[in-house]
Amino acid sequence: MAGLNKVVGSYDEALTGLTNDMTVMVGGFGLCGIPEGLINQMVKLGVSGLTAISNNAGVDDFGLGLLLRHKQISTMIASYVGENATFERQMLSGELNVILTPQGTLAEKIRAGGAGIPAFFTATGYGTPVADGKETREINGRHYVLEEALTADFALIRAWKADTMGNLVFRKTAANFNPMMATAGKITVVEVEEIVEPGELDPDHIHTPGIYVDRVIKGVFEKRIEQRTVKQA
């Protein structure tokens, strides 16, 4: 059973094999459920020319915003620009190639990639610039757009708990894009808050089976809040 231990002891080991010009999926929604330490390690490695697939890029000075600041991302596939001024500026100036994708379509493109489905038809985006250059088809009187699936060289995700065999449990909304991305990477690296021994996780509560996971690292998280909102006194 020792050969099934997916735990690595350092961020260097976690991202072994990551090089320039790769495609990287990064889990999270805003700053919720992002693999903070793995993103910081990419900044330290200085890899460039990356194609990043993520719902958005968070904020300027945290998460994927750090990679944008250092101009390590050449193409961003995302559903919206969000709160990141650097993302907006680089997109409008042409420094960054941005493929804006409807959020539900983005999620399904990733899920399809993980399931081995090369493409699918969706009504979302028909008759808009989203459909430009794509095959369309009328099915049962409704028009659809053919969307190709997404996969990546690395999927970097965040989970709450993992066992040493890579079985994962996500916590509340921090799940977001993480479970589907875990299935769509050639190499899936998971940053977690807690690692337990096999058998300690309730099998009925495991969200992602360890078969999809290649490496697990116990992270240290800042858990920054993107938009702090408090009740007025």
Side-chain angles (χ1 to χ4, degrees):
M1 298 295 288
L4 295 177
N5 191 326
K6 311 286 181 70
V7 178
V8 297
S10 70
Y11 283 106
D12 279 329
E13 190 178 356
L15 292 185
T16 297
L18 179 65
T19 60
N20 294 345
D21 305 317
M22 281 189 166
T23 298
V24 180
M25 285 183 180
V26 183
F29 189 106
L31 301 183
C32 179
I34 67 171
E36 302 170 20
L38 292 172
I39 294 171
N40 291 337
Q41 181 64 18
M42 283 196 289
V43 175
K44 292 177 183 177
L45 289 173
V47 287
S48 62
L50 298 174
T51 295
I53 303 169
S54 188
N55 182 64
N56 64 302
V59 295
D60 295 74
D61 61 344
F62 194 67
L64 285 178
L66 295 173
L67 288 170
L68 288 172
R69 176 190 290 178
H70 291 89
K71 299 186 178 180
Q72 292 171 260
I73 298 174
S74 61
T75 299
M76 189 84 197
I77 301 174
S79 74
Y80 72 108
V81 176
E83 306 296 323
N84 195 311
T86 303
F87 189 177
E88 180 183 15
R89 179 183 56 77
Q90 290 184 3
M91 180 180 73
L92 293 175
S93 69
E95 295 177 67
L96 180 68
N97 180 32
V98 178
I99 302 173
L100 289 175
T101 306
Q103 195 167 88
T105 301
L106 178 63
E108 182 63 9
K109 284 164 74 79
I110 296 166
R111 190 203 67 81
I117 299 168
F120 59 91
F121 281 102
T122 176
T124 303
Y126 179 81
T128 75
V130 169
D132 289 351
K134 298 174 183 176
E135 179 184 343
T136 61
R137 186 178 299 183
E138 184 177 344
I139 303 173
N140 295 327
R142 191 175 186 188
H143 293 281
Y144 294 87
V145 180
L146 184 68
E147 293 282 359
E148 295 185 1
L150 290 171
T151 57
D153 298 298
F154 273 77
L156 308 181
I157 68 171
R158 160 86 169 271
W160 178 40
K161 284 186 181 181
D163 64 22
T164 59
M165 297 173 70
N167 296 301
L168 307 178
V169 176
F170 301 95
R171 188 170 185 269
K172 299 183 178 181
T173 55
N176 50 62
F177 283 79
N178 284 300
M180 62 196 76
M181 286 186 174
T183 69
K186 293 178 182 176
I187 297 175
T188 294
V189 186
V190 187
E191 190 172 14
V192 300
E193 297 182 37
E194 184 178 350
I195 300 174
V196 300
E197 292 301 315
E200 292 188 43
L201 298 178
D202 184 337
D204 289 333
H205 293 167
I206 289 172
H207 297 119
T208 298
I211 190 68
Y212 291 110
V213 174
D214 297 284
R215 302 167 193 167
V216 176
I217 185 167
K218 189 176 187 299
V220 177
F221 302 101
E222 182 179 338
K223 296 185 180 180
R224 191 181 299 190
I225 297 172
E226 186 172 1
Q227 294 270 4
R228 184 179 295 275
T229 303
V230 296
K231 184 178 180 180
Q232 295 297 320

